[in-house]
């Protein structure tokens, strides 16, 4: 893995030297813009419209447009100093319960490994978090961007999750057409809850796949081989007249799945030893 950041975690007066690695990676298939006429890839050109010339990276800086057409400029060193990135510190401010944080706050996950001289302090923090069941809320600056972060343990590794600041979360009141009151039909609610129960299962991430990426990769391979792209026709959905019919149809559709799960559980259980049957008494004959 490529090291994306080096620094230290601090909580109280304890400093834990760490290296940071991206825990996730995008699997999107990269496409380039192509000139249709000659199939030449198009290049991104940094061009100044005033000077009418291409601009090298060394001549580029950052600026904030405080009025139309008027900017204040910042050098890289100035932005690093303001953001605190130069300190290279993950400063833990508080410890909280993971369940207290709504998933809407989470951004990106990183793995943290001990620095060259920080194994003992790393293990101390790791075990402390494990045994208390808490996670640390910290601040960190990555690439001149200040973020809140959650410091927690995944398996036997300290992980850092960047999280949004509260003012970066849009208010739900901005969402249009939300119902003022949730008035639902009791029968429909019962069936909906039954459907949720039928579809409930332990989370197994490995069973989910990016179907679009698989189909696109297959289409790419067909085109490379000079074949026409074959796409399976999408199954037409049955028009459902009302919500109750939709719930009923959904329950009927998942019944075999539920039955299969029940059969699998039954097969998995060891059969109890059969009890010896008592010999049946012969029926007495009646004389008419």
């Amino acid at each position: 893995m490529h090291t994306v950041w080096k620094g230290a975690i601090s909580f109280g007066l304890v400093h834990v030297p760490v290296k940071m690695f991206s825990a996730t990676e995008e699997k999107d298939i990269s496409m380039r813009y192509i000139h249709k006429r000659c199939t030449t890839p198009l290049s991104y050109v940094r061009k100044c419209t005033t000077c009418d010339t291409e601009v090298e990276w060394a001549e580029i800086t950052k600026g904030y447009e405080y009025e139309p057409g008027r900017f204040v400029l910042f050098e890289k060193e100035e932005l690093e100093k303001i953001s605190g990135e130069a300190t290279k510190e993950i400063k833990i401010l508080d410890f909280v319960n993971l369940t207290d944080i709504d998933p809407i706050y989470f951004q990106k996950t990183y793995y943290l490994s001990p620095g060259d001289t920080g194994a003992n302090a790393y293990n101390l923090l790791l075990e402390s978090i494990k045994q208390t069941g808490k996670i640390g809320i910290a601040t960190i600056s990555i690439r001149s961007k200040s973020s809140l972060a959650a410091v927690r343990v995944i398996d036997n590794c300290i992980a850092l999750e960047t999280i949004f600041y509260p003012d970066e979360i849009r208010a739900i009141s901005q969402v249009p057409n939300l119902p003022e009151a949730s008035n639902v039909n009791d029968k429909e609610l019962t069936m909906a809850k039954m459907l949720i129960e039928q579809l409930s299962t332990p989370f197994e991430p490995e069973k989910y796949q990016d179907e679009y990426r698989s189909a696109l990769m297959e289409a790419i391979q067909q085109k490379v081989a000079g074949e026409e792209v074959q796409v399976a026709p999408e199954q037409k959905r049955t028009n459902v007249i009302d919500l109750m019919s939709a719930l009923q149809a959904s329950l009927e559709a998942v019944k075999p799945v539920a039955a299969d799960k029940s059969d699998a559980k039954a097969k998995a259980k060891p059969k109890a030893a059969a009890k010896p049957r008592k010999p049946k008494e012969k029926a007495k004959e009646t004389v008419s």
Side-chain angles (χ1 to χ4, degrees), residues 83-235:
S83 70
E85 187 174 4
T87 61
K88 295 292 184 181
E89 183 182 30
I90 303 170
K91 187 175 182 180
I92 295 179
L93 308 174
D94 301 293
F95 284 92
V96 302
N97 295 318
L98 178 59
T99 52
D100 292 342
I101 307 175
D102 190 279
I104 195 173
Y105 282 92
F106 291 112
Q107 288 179 303
K108 183 173 175 60
T109 306
Y110 297 91
Y111 294 140
L112 303 179
S113 73
D116 297 333
T117 60
N120 290 338
Y122 183 94
N123 289 332
L124 175 64
L125 179 58
L126 187 146
E127 283 301 320
S128 300
I129 292 175
K130 267 187 180 181
Q131 294 189 24
T132 58
K134 300 288 185 179
I135 64 170
I137 300 299
T139 55
I140 182 175
S141 290
I142 306 172
R143 302 185 187 95
S144 299
K145 171 69 168 68
S146 175
S147 296
L148 277 178
V151 178
R152 66 189 186 97
V153 170
I154 299 176
D155 293 336
N156 205 39
C157 176
I158 296 177
L160 179 140
E161 313 240 10
T162 53
I163 58 181
F164 290 105
Y165 283 99
D167 60 356
E168 295 178 303
I169 306 295
R170 290 179 174 175
I172 293 176
S173 58
Q174 297 178 12
V175 182
N177 303 322
L178 286 181
E180 293 183 3
S182 55
N183 297 321
V184 295
N185 180 283
D186 288 340
K187 288 185 178 179
E188 292 174 350
L189 179 59
T190 300
M191 293 186 72
K193 288 162 67 177
M194 287 173 59
L195 180 59
I196 290 173
E197 286 299 322
Q198 293 277 23
L199 294 173
S200 295
T201 182
F203 179 55
E204 299 172 0
E206 62 276 1
K207 78 177 185 180
Y208 304 104
Q209 296 182 356
D210 187 341
E211 295 181 1
Y212 168 75
R213 177 157 50 92
S214 299
L216 179 57
M217 198 65 235
E218 185 178 347
I220 289 170
Q221 291 170 353
Q222 289 174 0
K223 280 184 173 288
V224 170
E227 302 173 5
E228 290 187 9
V229 175
Q230 303 293 330
V231 180
E234 187 178 353
Q235 293 182 353

Side-chain angles (χ1 to χ4, degrees), residues 57-63 72-82 144:
W57 279 114
E59 300 178 49
I60 295 176
T61 190
K62 289 186 176 181
V72 287
L73 306 182
F74 288 91
E75 296 296 330
K76 180 182 177 182
E77 293 75 17
E78 290 180 294
L79 293 174
E80 286 181 352
K81 188 176 180 180
I82 293 169
S144 299

